[in-house]
Amino acid sequence: RRLGSAARHGSSWSSPLSAEDERAVVGGCARTVRWQLAIFYFASGFWKANTSFLHPSYSCAGLFMVQPLEYLPDDVLFAASGLAASAVPALARAIAATGPAF
């Protein structure tokens, strides 16, 4: 796309862009920014694939998953068995790796 009047007339870089020029810049960068965000989220999930993060006894994943759960009623919250406790780190890792999909 072609830039508007500010770019054509050699205006200073410090002058504000017109709405048309701003849309052109954002539109030109959007695809790259989306790919960068997807790569960063995937890398975040990948780096969590270690025994410390996946261990239910001392993983920080439990803390991150419990914070939003405090808003659930107690009968729903405490109905889970030990299986749910061991699934929390894996679920947190899956959410971190697929963040842009949500």
Side-chain angles (χ1 to χ4, degrees):
R1 279 178 90 172
R2 299 173 81 179
L3 292 179
S5 62
R8 284 193 297 250
H9 297 299
S11 294
S12 170
W13 280 99
S14 63
S15 65
L17 294 173
S18 68
E20 179 184 329
D21 291 341
E22 188 174 338
R23 279 192 295 275
V25 170
V26 170
C29 297
R31 185 175 180 171
T32 302
V33 170
R34 283 188 203 108
W35 272 105
Q36 286 178 334
L37 185 63
I39 290 168
F40 290 150
Y41 268 98
F42 176 77
S44 168
F46 180 75
W47 283 318
K48 287 179 174 80
N50 59 55
T51 57
S52 295
F53 187 81
L54 298 176
H55 197 281
S57 297
Y58 49 81
S59 173
C60 64
L63 176 66
F64 294 130
M65 293 300 290
V66 168
Q67 287 174 347
L69 295 177
E70 69 184 31
Y71 300 105
L72 290 176
D74 286 345
D75 57 339
V76 174
L77 190 60
F78 295 110
S81 65
L83 177 63
S86 62
V88 165
L91 182 60
R93 184 171 154 244
I95 290 171
T98 60
F102 295 109

